[in-house]
Amino acid sequence: VLPACLLLALLLLAPALPAQQERGLIFNLDVGELCVQSAQCKSGCCHRANGLSLARCAPKAAETQECSPKSIYGVYYKCPCESGLTCDADKTIVGSITNRNFGVCKDPQESSRR
């Protein structure tokens, strides 16, 4: 009986699954929408202002803005840099644990020109 119920549930939910992704209920979320992981956001950054705030999708950091190095945690206090920029930050384990591993987005091409 259980497999028949499971099959029926899958058949009923199948049309709804593609619609959820198009509308951005779980993945492909727009800036400002609630998130749990950066992989859910179109921008690639799930950001929270502090430890008690809800995380929301946010744009990646632009040149000269504060940033965090890419992390395995999936939620950032400062978003990683936009494509082509590097985050000049404390990348030690201590900086990561104490949440002080913020830096500034820089263009790596600019430093090689000097």
Side-chain angles (χ1 to χ4, degrees), residues 28-99:
N28 211 20
L29 301 176
D30 288 319
V31 169
E33 293 188 89
L34 292 173
C35 55
V36 178
Q37 282 282 332
S38 290
Q40 293 178 278
C41 304
K42 285 180 188 177
S43 67
C45 179
C46 185
H47 169 268
R48 67 173 33 173
N50 58 56
L52 300 175
S53 64
L54 294 172
R56 295 183 179 275
C57 293
K60 286 196 173 178
E63 192 170 5
T64 72
Q65 288 185 331
E66 281 191 298
C67 58
S68 290
K70 293 216 179 211
S71 158
I72 59 170
Y73 302 120
V75 178
Y76 296 96
Y77 289 100
K78 305 285 182 189
C79 286
C81 299
E82 293 175 339
S83 181
L85 300 176
T86 58
C87 186
D88 186 20
D90 175 9
K91 295 179 182 165
T92 64
I93 191 72
V94 175
S96 180
I97 291 170
T98 60
N99 213 18

Side-chain angles (χ1 to χ4, degrees), residues 94-106:
V94 175
S96 180
I97 291 170
T98 60
N99 213 18
R100 302 270 184 250
N101 59 339
F102 306 131
V104 176
C105 290
K106 295 184 178 180

Side-chain angles (χ1 to χ4, degrees), residues 12-27:
L12 292 173
L13 289 175
L17 291 176
Q20 285 181 345
Q21 289 183 348
E22 289 172 13
R23 289 183 293 165
L25 293 177
I26 298 171
F27 291 102

